[in-house]
Amino acid sequence: MRRDRTRLRPARLSLRDVLHVGSAGLRARPVRVVLSALGIAIGIATMIAVVGISSSSQAKLLRELDALGTNMLVVTPGQSMFSGQDTKLPEEAPGMIGRIEGVERVGATGAVAHSVRRSEKISPDETGGIAVLAARGDLLETLRAGVRSGAWLNAATGRYPAVVLGDVAARRLGITAPGRQVFIGGRYFTVTGILGPVPLAPEIERAALVGWSAAESLLGFDGHPTAVYERSADARVGAVRNLIPQTANPRSPQTVSVTDPSAALQAKAATEGAFSTLLLGLGGIALLVGGVGVANTMIISVLERRHEIGLRRSLGATKGAVRVQFVTESLLLSGLGGLAGIALGSAAVAAYAAAGGLPWVVPLWSVTGGFGATLVIGTLAGLYPAVRASRLSPTLALHAA
């Protein structure tokens, strides 16, 4: 007579049971959990903060580029074929450049051989690094610059002793509002306006700008522009750049220099995160140190809980169940540290962005990648303690207890 034999199989732990037994050790030792998770939190916070601050700075630069545009070129006198000989742009250069197909706006400045001072009692040698420039009325629109206070030069003020100061020039002269006077070329000029920042033309920020006509009649300006700023349609920038030299100075196109001032901002935006590599490496080291701390905590936990492990094994828990318990505990410990690190890093980026007037940007990949790294480290840190716990003999564990 055949007797049916029923093979006994160990019960499997549900996900709820796994989380319950895995978190039991964390609930029993909260202080140790906080200290162990701190290393993970510091590493993740460092990585999130480094990436977020770099991304926020880059976002600000890209916004500036969008606002300022990348379709402006600056035309200046280039190098002469004969050393020591100065070159000049023709007086007609701005008008000739404005007739190139695709050019939308043209502005120009010309260097004036005078200094600007608060009064005639100050030595002419005390220039303060401020240049005096003749300016055409359409310069402001071409640069897409703004007047912080007062008004820009117009057809009327451009013929009289009126001056507009760049942002840096006004600070160096100690002038905070229009209406004051400065001494230029033996006479006083009234300040009618103060410009805001001009990122694409920092030389304008350090200049005192007078009208083109006033510079010729009052300051002996020769009428030759030293810088021509032009904006063209985005699709025509390359073609316009190729046509400018022979158009601006048909007799000596080789003496004309054409530059793109937005290239510096574009390069800065592209390399904004270059110096973050070292800090990311330091964050990675801190993360590894935190992982070592988690592993150490788990090993100590196994040694302290041999009686619990032996009791569970004697009641039927398999080696696999014990391994799952301690790996889950390690993952929960690392995950808590990772979540705390993400919160701390994001808060640091928010504080930095608020202090510097930057947009708050924390890339999603940095958050998911950082948290994924904590889970990987938690798994690796818990493997050895979990295997060690599963190999404990129930009899020896209970006897040792």
Side-chain angles (χ1 to χ4, degrees):
M1 182 176 180
R2 301 184 66 181
R3 182 179 298 175
D4 294 334
R5 294 182 179 180
T6 303
R7 186 176 180 180
L8 297 178
R9 295 183 179 180
R12 295 182 179 274
L13 293 174
S14 65
L15 178 61
R16 180 179 178 181
D17 294 331
V18 169
L19 294 176
H20 179 74
V21 299
S23 61
L26 304 183
R27 296 194 302 270
R29 301 168 180 83
V31 176
R32 183 183 296 175
V33 168
V34 171
L35 294 177
S36 300
L38 186 60
I40 295 287
I42 291 174
I44 292 298
T46 302
M47 299 176 73
I48 295 292
V50 168
V51 174
I53 289 173
S54 175
S55 299
S56 298
S57 300
Q58 189 177 50
K60 181 182 180 182
L61 287 172
L62 292 176
R63 287 186 182 182
E64 288 182 358
L65 280 173
D66 289 339
L68 298 172
T70 58
N71 60 343
M72 190 178 84
L73 299 175
V74 181
V75 184
T76 55
Q79 294 291 329
S80 173
M81 296 179 60
F82 305 98
S83 59
Q85 182 177 348
D86 295 333
T87 61
K88 291 184 178 181
L89 292 174
E91 296 181 41
E92 303 82 8
M96 297 168 70
I97 292 173
R99 288 193 287 270
I100 298 176
E101 182 181 357
V103 173
E104 298 174 343
R105 196 176 293 274
V106 177
T109 60
V112 179
H114 290 285
S115 61
V116 55
R117 294 167 283 162
R118 287 288 300 272
S119 72
E120 73 274 12
K121 296 181 180 180
I122 298 176
S123 172
D125 297 330
E126 298 293 332
T127 63
I130 304 173
V132 179
L133 300 177
R136 292 170 61 107
D138 47 3
L139 176 66
L140 201 65
E141 291 79 6
T142 305
L143 295 176
R144 292 185 184 173
V147 179
R148 192 178 66 200
S149 60
W152 175 242
L153 300 168
N154 54 40
T157 57
R159 297 196 301 267
Y160 296 99
V163 61
V164 173
L165 299 177
D167 182 46
V168 176
R171 290 202 304 269
R172 291 179 181 176
L173 291 170
I175 296 176
T176 58
R180 302 287 297 274
Q181 289 188 323
V182 293
F183 195 74
I184 305 175
R187 67 171 61 224
Y188 280 96
F189 281 65
T190 301
V191 177
T192 61
I194 298 176
L195 300 180
V198 190
L200 292 184
E203 65 276 6
I204 301 299
E205 298 177 350
R206 298 184 290 272
L209 303 161
V210 299
W212 202 271
S213 299
E216 291 178 325
S217 60
L218 303 177
L219 300 176
F221 175 52
D222 61 6
H224 289 273
T226 52
V228 179
Y229 305 87
E230 71 81 27
R231 283 195 184 271
S232 53
D234 292 335
R236 294 283 302 170
V237 173
V240 170
R241 182 167 189 160
N242 294 331
L243 292 173
I244 283 178
Q246 55 267 36
T247 303
N249 193 349
R251 295 183 177 180
S252 301
Q254 71 278 3
T255 63
V256 177
S257 175
V258 184
T259 58
D260 180 1
S262 66
L265 282 178
Q266 294 180 58
K268 186 177 180 181
T271 60
E272 185 62 40
F275 295 103
S276 302
T277 304
L278 177 61
L279 293 177
L280 280 174
L282 294 176
I285 293 174
L287 190 59
L288 291 176
V289 171
V292 173
V294 171
N296 184 53
T297 298
M298 295 306 301
I299 291 174
I300 294 175
S301 179
V302 169
L303 295 176
E304 291 179 345
R305 296 160 65 187
R306 285 181 296 176
H307 178 69
E308 174 194 334
I309 296 169
L311 183 61
R312 290 196 62 213
R313 290 295 313 280
S314 65
L315 293 176
T318 63
K319 293 183 178 180
V322 174
R323 286 195 294 267
V324 168
Q325 174 187 349
F326 283 91
V327 169
T328 301
E329 185 174 330
S330 177
L331 278 172
L332 290 174
L333 180 57
S334 300
L336 289 174
L339 291 176
I342 291 172
L344 289 174
S346 300
V349 176
Y352 180 85
L358 304 175
W360 182 75
V361 178
V362 176
L364 180 61
W365 67 264
S366 67
V367 175
T368 56
F371 190 70
T374 63
L375 297 183
V376 171
I377 288 179
T379 302
L380 296 177
L383 280 178
Y384 173 70
V387 172
R388 182 171 179 172
S390 67
R391 289 179 178 177
L392 284 176
S393 169
T395 304
L396 293 178
L398 291 173
H399 177 72

